[in-house]
């Protein structure tokens, strides 16, 4: 069944993999040995390079009432490629491998290992390939994300993954990685989450892991440090980690784990005093060092856990934690919010209900929605996909560029619209699960995942309104009535920060609920801004776009929306840096935020020639254009909070800059044309654009890929150029 790839590693047969998706956009990979499913879709053929699909690409004969030129051709070829290759028929979404972070796959491996659940052979082989293929080419280690330097977190956990997956310690890949790990001081300096994974595997002592007491959940709800006020991700992760660390759960020590203990440290395991290493973090990993306050709190919590906590209280706290976990499993159709919390939750469920329980088995089965296969192998993704987010942009961009009127693309736009209609939340969360109202909102990935995001709601709502304005789509307008759009507006308004924190702005999943200085309790060491919600300029921009589009077309709450738009725009203006840029938190970086901010300001009538803010925003972008007409911002900008260029210009960043400039009505059209020419020059013969560099980021330090961006934003830039300038 298996053969070897170039590195001599076993690999599965790419022709046998099928991607199965349901109508809510959830997808999983199936190794179809007996050919039970129809042949591979164009997406799979392209994604795994099993077949050349260039001959299948349809071309448009639609008359755009303009003479065909290079631009038309580039646009049509790009649109044809994107829709044909990436569209998935069942769901109407664009599947992709949402990869980059190198600390997700371990969660799957640990959950399987501690519960002694066997990993199917075809998955095991591909997980190994992914880890091997992403090793640092120079030193053989791994970083926090796929384009990072090697760090102690990345190297220790991925080394452990390979060993648990069955790679021999004398395999060249392991030898190199171990050497690197030892140079980094060994696994003793792994940051908090690394220590937690290792402790669960009995490879680290809980005495060396800073505590996360579950009792915090029992504090009065009004206190600012109550976990219910933390950022939803941190909340979900520490909910499960609180239970695990207070129970000090470790799996049984077996011969393999004993061997690994002797491999990952620079001295013998028995000689390590773990309690002295709670705060030991390898220098290269450290992005957000502990504050003195955190160290003091940790000291108190350790003392409390060791000498003061009665057993009955621990039990009661864990019971309460588990009741919240159960509610969250209902809220998220057993997915929890994302893969890190998911893995920790799996282990808690195993401890509470046993590995033979239905709840546990269902959960383990759910890992399939986080696992995604690709040419480099299989990995756990950052979320269960990018479905709603990509579809919302796709619909908007195809309408904005008139491509949605082309009969060739109409079926795709319809399907994506139908998917968005199906994906709106129509129920509320369980009582007592510390969740806000979600009815009317949209998630980032899929409805089953269960979490409303501000900008995803705004972009999806805007896409739906745009379809509803086109007569050509009349037959599907009824799928979402205006009452449901009103619900979206209500959710969106409820997400705006209107209290004393960052007035007028929007955050991600909830409004800010606790003072921002709580960040000084951030225990994760490798990320910034994880403790509470923060104001985000991109989320604010998208929300402005959604609300202003709604206000222009409907009467519901018009006055309130106008007032809210005003304070949101004030926030956007205030968030601009003195050099005219905006710092972007979810894409790379100033270019990404610049595009969103300029688009939001333009919707409310602010352009280059009538607004000082817009003028400065444009001037900043223009100052970064390169000789070849492109932009080249690197992920380093996000880490360092200052504009850093990569070696060569990049198609996605160039598209973002061009979109911002066109929408801001920047007067120098030659400059814009140069950017568009650059985008076209990088297009391949078949209409595609190649992957060039990682596009997204989170928590200031971790890069993540958005594979659809190189189609969506190029098409938008070229389409806007054609419409507004030519
Ligand atoms: C995402 C992905 C999408 C992203 C946008 C919609 C683009 C953004 O505008 C708002 C925030 C959001 C929803 C977002 C939040 C953080 C996520 C979920 C991620 C970057 C994908 C993975 C990441 C998650 C936190 C990973 C787990 C790691 C932790 C540090 C908690």
């Amino acid at each position: 069944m298996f053969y070897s790839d170039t590195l001599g590693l076993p690999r599965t047969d790419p022709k046998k993999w099928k991607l199965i998706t349901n109508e809510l956009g959830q997808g999983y990979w199936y190794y179809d040995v007996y050919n039970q499913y129809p042949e591979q879709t164009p997406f799979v053929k392209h994604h795994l390079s099993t077949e050349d699909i260039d001959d299948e690409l349809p071309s448009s004969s639609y008359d755009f009432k303009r003479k065909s030129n290079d631009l038309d051709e580039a646009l049509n070829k790009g649109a044809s490629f994107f829709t044909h290759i990436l569209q998935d028929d069942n769901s109407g979404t664009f599947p992709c491998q949402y990869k980059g972070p190198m600390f997700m796959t371990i969660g799957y491996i640990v959950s399987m290992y501690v519960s002694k659940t066997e990993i199917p052979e075809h998955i095991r082989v591909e997980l190994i390939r992914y880890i091997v293929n992403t090793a640092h080419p120079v030193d053989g280690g791994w970083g926090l994300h796929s384009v990072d330097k090697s760090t102690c977190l990345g190297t220790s956990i991925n080394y452990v993954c390979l060993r648990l997956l069955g790679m021999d310690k004398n395999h060249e890949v392991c030898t190199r990685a171990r050497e690197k790990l030892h140079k980094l001081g060994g696994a003793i300096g792994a940051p908090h989450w690394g220590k937690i994974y290792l402790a669960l595997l009995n490879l680290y002592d809980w005495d060396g892991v800073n505590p996360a007491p579950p009792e915090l959940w029992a504090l009065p709800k009004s206190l600012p440090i109550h976990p219910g006020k933390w950022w939803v991700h941190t909340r979900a992760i520490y909910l499960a980690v609180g239970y695990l660390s207070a129970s000090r759960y470790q799996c049984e020590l077996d011969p393999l784990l004993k061997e690994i203990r002797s491999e990952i440290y620079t001295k013998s395991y028995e000689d390590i005093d773990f309690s002295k290493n709670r705060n030991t973090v390898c220098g290269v990993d450290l992005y957000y060092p502990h504050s003195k306050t955190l160290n003091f709190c940790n000291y108190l919590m350790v003392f409390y856990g060791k000498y003061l906590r009665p057993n009955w209280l621990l039990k009661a706290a864990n019971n309460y934690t588990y009741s919240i976990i159960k509610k969250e499993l209902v809220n998220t159709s057993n997915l929890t919010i994302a893969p890190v919390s998911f893995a920790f939750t799996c282990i808690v469920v195993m401890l509470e209900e046993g590995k033979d329980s239905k709840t546990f088995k269902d959960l383990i089965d759910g890992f399939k929605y986080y696992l995604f296969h690709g040419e480099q192998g299989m990995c756990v993704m950052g979320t269960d996909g990018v479905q709603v987010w990509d579809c919302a942009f796709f619909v908007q961009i195809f309408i904005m560029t008139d491509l949605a009127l082309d009969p060739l693309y109409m079926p795709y736009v319809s399907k994506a619209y139908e998917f968005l209609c199906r994906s709106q939340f129509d129920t509320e969360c369980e009582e007592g699960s510390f969740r806000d109202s979600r009815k009317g909102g949209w998630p980032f990935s899929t409805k089953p995942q269960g979490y409303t995001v501000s900008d995803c709601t705004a972009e999806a709502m805007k896409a739906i309104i745009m379809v509803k304005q086109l007569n050509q789509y009349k037959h599907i307008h009824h799928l979402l009535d205006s009452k449901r759009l009103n619900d979206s507006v209500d959710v969106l308004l409820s997400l705006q920060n209107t209290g004393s924190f960052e007035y007028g702005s929007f955050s991600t999943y909830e409004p800010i609920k606790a003072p921002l200085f709580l960040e000084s309790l951030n225990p994760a060491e490798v990320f910034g801004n994880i403790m509470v919600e923060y104001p985000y300029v991109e989320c604010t921009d998208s929300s402005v776009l959604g609300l202003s589009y709604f206000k222009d077309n409907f009467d519901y709450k018009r006055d309130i929306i106008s007032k809210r738009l005003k304070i949101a725009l004030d926030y956007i203006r205030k968030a601009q840096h003195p050099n005219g840029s905006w710092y972007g938190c979810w894409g790379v970086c100033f270019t990404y935020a610049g595009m969103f901010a300029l688009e939001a300001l333009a919707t409310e009538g602010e352009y280059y020639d009538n607004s000082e803010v817009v003028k400065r925003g444009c001037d900043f972008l223009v100052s970064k254009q390169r000789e070849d007409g492109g932009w080249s911002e690197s992920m380093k900008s996000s880490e360092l909070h200052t504009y850093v260029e990569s070696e060569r210009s990049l198609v996605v960043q160039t598209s973002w800059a061009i979109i911002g400039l066109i929408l801001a009505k920047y007067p120098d059209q030659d400059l814009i044309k140069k950017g568009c020419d650059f985008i076209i020059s990088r297009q391949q013969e078949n209409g595609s654009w190649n992957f060039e560099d990682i596009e997204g980021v989170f928590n200031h330090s971790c890069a993540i890929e958005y594979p659809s961006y190189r189609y969506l934003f190029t098409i938008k830039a070229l389409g806007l150029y054609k419409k507004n300038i030519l």
Side-chain angles (χ1 to χ4, degrees):
M1 173 161 71
F2 300 153
Y3 56 94
S4 293
D5 74 358
T6 42
L7 286 160
L9 288 171
R11 67 170 299 174
T12 58
D13 181 354
K15 291 201 160 65
K16 294 205 161 68
W17 284 101
K18 310 273 167 74
L19 179 65
I20 320 293
T21 35
N22 66 24
E23 54 168 21
L24 290 176
Q26 297 181 289
Y28 67 89
W29 287 88
Y30 184 74
Y31 197 56
D32 197 6
V33 184
Y34 302 109
N35 262 322
Q36 287 168 288
Y37 286 92
E39 71 157 330
Q40 289 182 325
T41 57
F43 165 71
V44 174
K45 287 187 205 163
H46 169 68
H47 181 68
L48 299 181
S49 298
T50 54
E51 228 173 278
D52 186 2
I53 35 74
D54 288 1
D55 293 344
E56 295 176 9
L57 297 171
S59 64
S60 175
S61 54
Y62 186 62
D63 174 14
F64 278 93
K65 307 210 170 42
R66 257 177 229 277
K67 226 170 66 218
S68 172
N69 53 24
D70 279 359
L71 187 65
D72 275 325
E73 193 185 319
L75 257 175
N76 276 307
K77 280 174 103 174
S80 157
F81 188 89
F82 184 53
T83 48
H84 183 69
I85 302 307
L86 298 181
Q87 178 83 30
D88 166 71
D89 280 345
N90 289 331
S91 61
T93 61
F94 300 89
C96 66
Q97 192 172 20
Y98 187 42
K99 61 186 163 69
M102 291 304 295
F103 56 93
M104 307 274 180
T105 304
I106 182 146
Y108 172 65
I109 296 170
V110 172
S111 305
M112 300 298 270
Y113 198 82
V114 304
S115 64
K116 299 198 166 75
T117 315
E118 206 181 323
I119 297 181
E121 188 59 8
H122 51 276
I123 295 184
R124 189 185 71 84
V125 159
E126 291 301 335
L127 290 172
I128 295 183
R129 275 191 63 240
Y130 184 81
I131 298 176
V132 172
N133 280 325
T134 48
H136 196 286
V138 176
D139 60 31
W142 294 268
L144 181 68
H145 54 89
S146 54
V147 290
D148 197 12
K149 74 252 167 228
S150 296
T151 63
C152 182
L153 176 72
T155 309
S156 55
I157 62 179
N158 285 292
Y159 177 84
V160 169
C161 283
L162 286 179
R163 295 287 285 124
L164 296 180
L165 289 169
M167 186 176 266
D168 191 277
K169 71 170 178 218
N170 296 319
H171 190 291
E172 195 198 330
V173 174
C174 282
T175 326
R176 285 185 75 205
R178 201 164 52 237
E179 227 167 72
K180 179 65 197 175
L181 181 57
H182 285 207
K183 273 198 193 133
L184 291 167
I188 195 70
H192 198 208
W193 295 5
K195 289 182 163 89
I196 295 169
Y197 283 126
L198 296 176
L200 293 169
L201 288 166
N202 216 333
L203 298 172
Y204 211 99
D205 195 294
W206 280 112
D207 279 349
V209 187
N210 278 316
E215 288 92 335
L216 289 176
W217 283 94
L219 292 174
K221 292 191 182 92
S222 54
L223 282 184
I225 56 157
H226 188 279
K229 295 192 156 68
W230 298 354
W231 190 41
V232 286
H233 283 280
T234 308
R235 187 192 305 168
I237 291 169
Y238 283 96
L239 177 66
V241 163
Y243 181 112
L244 295 169
S245 76
S247 327
R248 297 169 74 91
Y249 167 74
Q250 303 206 282
C251 75
E252 200 185 306
L253 190 63
D254 62 20
L256 175 61
L257 294 173
K258 267 194 198 147
E259 270 189 42
I260 302 177
R261 274 185 174 188
S262 73
E263 295 160 21
I264 59 175
Y265 297 102
T266 52
K267 55 178 173 177
S268 114
Y269 190 84
E270 286 66 33
D271 293 339
I272 302 173
D273 182 350
F274 283 94
S275 66
K276 295 223 165 77
N277 287 286
R278 278 190 297 113
N279 298 325
T280 309
V281 181
C282 176
V284 288
D285 289 60
L286 204 56
Y287 184 77
Y288 194 90
H290 288 187
S291 63
K292 290 210 173 78
T293 329
L294 176 65
N295 282 341
F296 181 64
C297 293
N298 277 333
Y299 175 79
L300 291 182
M301 292 191 295
V302 169
F303 188 83
Y304 164 77
K306 226 171 173 170
Y307 304 109
L308 302 178
R309 176 196 275 142
N311 230 338
W312 65 263
L313 188 59
L314 172 65
K315 254 191 127 188
N318 273 349
N319 283 344
Y320 182 47
T321 300
Y322 198 61
S323 71
I324 305 173
I325 287 182
K326 287 289 270 194
K327 289 178 185 171
E328 258 302 272
L329 289 176
V330 175
N331 295 338
T332 60
S333 328
N334 274 348
L335 286 170
T336 80
I337 186 168
V340 180
S341 52
F342 183 69
F344 291 134
T345 301
C346 280
I347 302 175
V348 175
V349 169
M350 175 188 85
L351 296 178
E352 279 282 324
E353 304 196 21
K355 76 188 194 76
D356 296 321
S357 65
K358 183 172 177 322
T359 323
F360 181 70
K361 286 191 171 149
D362 285 350
L363 246 68
I364 288 287
D365 182 53
F367 261 118
K368 66 183 181 210
Y369 297 125
Y370 285 122
L371 286 165
F372 208 94
H373 187 40
E375 271 201 278
Q376 291 178 301
M378 190 174 257
C379 67
V380 170
M381 302 196 285
T383 58
D384 61 332
V386 191
Q387 295 86 331
V388 165
W389 186 242
D390 279 350
C391 271
F393 283 128
F394 166 70
V395 169
Q396 291 184 30
I397 290 169
F398 269 53
I399 293 180
M400 182 184 290
T401 54
D402 287 345
L403 288 161
L405 304 179
D406 182 337
L408 183 63
Y409 304 123
M410 281 181 78
Y412 299 114
V413 175
S414 304
K415 275 187 188 171
Y417 166 85
E418 287 165 25
F419 170 73
L420 291 176
C421 294
R422 286 195 295 276
S423 300
Q424 190 189 25
F425 293 120
D426 46 13
T427 59
E428 293 298 357
C429 292
E430 295 283 292
E431 196 65 41
S433 57
F434 298 91
R435 295 284 302 275
D436 292 347
S437 172
R438 72 174 171 191
K439 204 168 150 207
W442 272 273
F444 169 68
S445 55
T446 62
K447 185 177 176 188
Q449 184 263 4
Y451 272 83
T452 295
V453 186
S454 63
D455 50 3
C456 302
T457 299
E459 299 288 359
M461 176 174 90
K462 185 173 167 205
I464 285 179
I465 301 174
M466 286 173 92
V467 173
K468 278 176 166 292
Q469 282 166 339
L470 292 178
N471 257 333
Q472 289 85 338
Y473 291 84
K474 217 176 180 130
H475 58 290
I476 45 174
H477 284 171
H478 67 277
L479 292 178
L480 201 136
D481 59 25
S482 58
K483 160 86 192 55
R484 279 172 66 187
L485 283 177
N486 296 350
D487 289 345
S488 321
V489 168
D490 287 337
V491 175
L492 209 45
L493 292 175
S494 78
L495 285 166
Q496 190 171 26
N497 294 310
T498 50
S500 47
F501 305 118
E502 306 294 331
Y503 191 65
S505 65
F506 283 78
S507 304
T508 55
Y509 301 84
E510 292 179 346
I512 303 170
K513 294 183 171 171
L516 307 193
F517 64 72
L518 271 188
E519 193 59 32
S520 62
L521 298 179
N522 173 351
E525 294 135 358
V526 291
F527 304 110
N529 282 21
I530 65 162
M531 281 312 286
V532 291
E533 277 282 7
Y534 293 86
Y536 292 110
V537 79
E538 307 101 293
C539 298
T540 312
D541 299 327
S542 288
S543 302
V544 163
L545 291 171
L547 287 173
S548 93
Y549 215 79
F550 179 87
K551 183 186 70 144
D552 291 345
N553 293 288
F554 299 90
D555 287 333
Y556 184 67
K557 295 200 175 168
R558 185 169 279 179
D559 290 346
I560 300 179
I561 296 176
S562 298
K563 273 191 216 130
R564 297 298 199 88
L565 281 172
K566 190 187 161 303
I567 61 172
L569 285 159
D570 285 345
Y571 174 79
I572 296 171
R573 290 188 204 101
K574 202 179 86 190
Q576 188 177 37
H577 294 190
N579 68 358
S581 68
W582 284 271
Y583 177 80
C585 286
W586 308 107
V588 174
C589 170
F590 295 99
T591 327
Y592 181 72
M595 166 186 71
F596 275 105
L598 293 175
E599 184 161 6
L601 291 160
T603 342
E604 289 297 302
E606 291 194 34
Y607 302 108
Y608 186 87
D609 58 7
N610 67 3
S611 155
E612 189 51 31
V613 172
V614 174
K615 183 173 176 307
R616 283 195 292 130
C618 291
D619 290 344
F620 173 81
L621 287 178
V622 166
S623 73
K624 303 296 177 195
Q625 192 179 28
R626 289 155 64 107
E627 230 354 77
D628 61 5
W631 277 257
S632 70
E633 193 178 6
S634 145
M635 189 265 158
K636 288 263 163 289
S637 290
S638 314
E639 278 176 8
L640 303 172
H641 291 239
T642 176
Y643 192 96
V644 183
E645 302 206 19
S646 335
E647 271 169 30
R648 54 180 209 141
S649 298
L650 303 164
V651 157
V652 173
Q653 269 76 5
T654 305
S655 305
W656 289 338
I658 290 293
I659 294 168
L661 292 173
I662 295 178
L663 293 171
K665 302 196 173 159
Y666 186 72
D668 183 349
Q669 294 175 9
D670 289 344
L671 187 151
I672 292 174
K673 179 168 184 315
K674 235 178 133 187
C676 291
D677 287 344
F678 169 79
I679 297 171
I680 297 176
S681 75
R682 285 277 170 91
Q683 193 177 30
Q684 305 300 301
E685 208 25 58
N686 62 7
S688 68
W689 280 274
N690 289 337
F691 170 79
E692 296 179 337
D693 209 342
I694 211 151
E695 303 88 352
V697 74
F698 59 87
N699 303 105
H700 300 202
S701 57
C702 191
I704 189 156
E705 287 173 28
Y706 285 79
S708 304
Y709 281 6
R710 63 179 183 272
Y711 299 102
L712 292 169
F713 292 108
T714 43
I715 293 175
K716 179 165 175 180
L718 298 179
L720 284 177
Y721 179 65
K722 175 176 154 176
K723 234 182 153 164
N724 294 319
I725 297 189
L726 275 194

